[in-house]
Amino acid sequence: MVETLSIAVIGAPGVGKTSIIRQFIYNDFSEVYTPTRTRYVYRPSVILNGNMYELKVLDVPPISSFPSSSSQEWLDLRCRGVRNANAYILVYDICCVESFEYVKMIRQQIVENREGSSSEVPILVVGNKRDLQRQRFMPRRAVSVLVKKTWKCGYVECSAKFNWHVVLLFKELLGIAVARGMRQNHTSIRLQGALQRNRCTIM
Ligand code: GDP
Ligand code: MG
């Protein structure tokens, strides 16, 4: 039996969402910026602490706000599956304050728009482009304290370019999700045959 967890990756354009996902799944990075125009779903398998999980990673194209209702989500193809994700990765660029403001807005909207206990969904804030840290707009410690203490979210910095802390951030998020028992959307799948080696990460 394998558990499926859907993870929506959201952030301002150009912060490195697609790069993080592709580095995690394919060990691949491109300097060339190709804006993501449509929603894309990746389905890697991972093993964490001896348990296997099927991840459904949604690479969400730029959205002006978190969908406030199921009908809005249904009408806008870009946000399909975003409201009911089991966990969120909110990415910003540590050198771009506007991208942090965007993450701040989306985090607030997730909490307001998801009802009841589902507003306690695991959220991991990710500061990407750590390799450019000389140009960062705020010290790491200050952001980390704000995100962890005030927003009650996880916080990780990474560099998709150098594959630094990319596996760690997925591990961190999955760890929080599993600990909170966020399993409402899970589907049970009987494991048959071998996994595709290049799509299974042991964390
Ligand atoms: P998205 O719009 O959020 O999906 O961003 P992309 O993943 O397409 O990346 C946008 C641009 O930032 C591309 O030119 C990437 O090469 C670059 N980029 C992504 N991650 C990093 C990183 O960690 N460091 C640096 N220096 N550039 C990055
Ligand atoms: Mg993209």
Side-chain angles (χ1 to χ4, degrees), residues 18 21 26 42 58 125 140 148-149:
T18 304
I21 299 169
Y26 304 118
Y42 297 82
L58 308 181
V125 174
R140 190 193 65 81
K148 288 182 178 167
K149 299 255 161 69

Side-chain angles (χ1 to χ4, degrees), residues 11-20 29-36 59 128-132 158-162:
V15 295
K17 300 177 294 297
T18 304
S19 301
I20 290 171
F29 177 79
S30 165
E31 293 278 357
V32 183
Y33 179 32
T34 314
T36 308
D59 188 355
N128 187 36
K129 309 201 185 180
R130 176 64 193 255
D131 53 292
L132 305 176
C158 75
S159 169
K161 181 170 178 174
F162 292 100

Side-chain angles (χ1 to χ4, degrees), residues 2-202:
V2 181
E3 196 161 339
T4 302
L5 279 148
S6 72
I7 302 172
V9 183
I10 307 177
V15 295
K17 300 177 294 297
T18 304
S19 301
I20 290 171
I21 299 169
R22 295 191 63 87
Q23 187 61 275
F24 177 60
I25 301 173
Y26 304 118
N27 284 326
D28 176 37
F29 177 79
S30 165
E31 293 278 357
V32 183
Y33 179 32
T34 314
T36 308
R37 304 215 185 277
T38 52
R39 172 181 164 283
Y40 201 89
V41 184
Y42 297 82
R43 293 179 172 273
S45 305
V46 298
I47 293 171
L48 178 69
N49 300 333
N51 296 318
M52 194 172 138
Y53 302 90
E54 301 267 349
L55 304 185
K56 189 175 157 195
V57 182
L58 308 181
D59 188 355
V60 182
I63 48 174
S64 55
S65 61
F66 186 81
S68 58
S69 64
S70 308
S71 54
Q72 191 195 337
E73 177 180 87
W74 194 245
L75 287 170
D76 186 349
L77 267 178
R78 292 170 306 172
C79 350
R80 215 43 80 80
V82 166
R83 273 177 70 79
N84 292 323
N86 300 118
Y88 296 91
I89 295 178
L90 304 184
V91 185
Y92 80 99
D93 171 350
I94 62 163
C95 310
C96 174
V97 68
E98 292 82 11
S99 70
F100 187 69
E101 292 298 324
Y102 180 84
V103 158
K104 188 174 168 184
M105 175 190 82
I106 295 288
R107 202 249 4 151
Q108 187 64 35
Q109 293 173 347
I110 291 173
V111 175
E112 284 167 7
N113 285 302
R114 289 182 56 125
E115 287 132 32
S117 61
S118 78
S119 64
E120 286 163 26
V121 64
I123 301 176
L124 182 71
V125 174
V126 172
N128 187 36
K129 309 201 185 180
R130 176 64 193 255
D131 53 292
L132 305 176
Q133 78 148 334
R134 285 172 167 211
Q135 295 147 50
R136 66 185 312 146
F137 64 85
M138 198 166 156
R140 190 193 65 81
R141 175 111 192 105
V143 191
S144 172
V145 167
L146 171 69
V147 169
K148 288 182 178 167
K149 299 255 161 69
T150 313
W151 298 3
K152 309 273 186 273
C153 298
Y155 185 69
V156 172
E157 291 196 350
C158 75
S159 169
K161 181 170 178 174
F162 292 100
N163 201 2
W164 185 76
H165 280 183
V166 172
V167 171
L168 177 88
L169 77 89
F170 280 92
K171 190 174 173 178
E172 184 97 3
L173 183 68
L174 199 52
I176 306 172
V178 171
R180 291 200 196 168
M182 302 301 287
R183 298 169 181 194
Q184 67 270 65
N185 270 359
H186 90 270
T187 45
S188 299
I189 302 162
R190 195 175 294 276
L191 183 59
Q192 288 177 335
L195 289 164
Q196 291 181 39
R197 271 196 79 210
N198 62 344
R199 294 184 60 208
C200 181
T201 303
I202 298 170

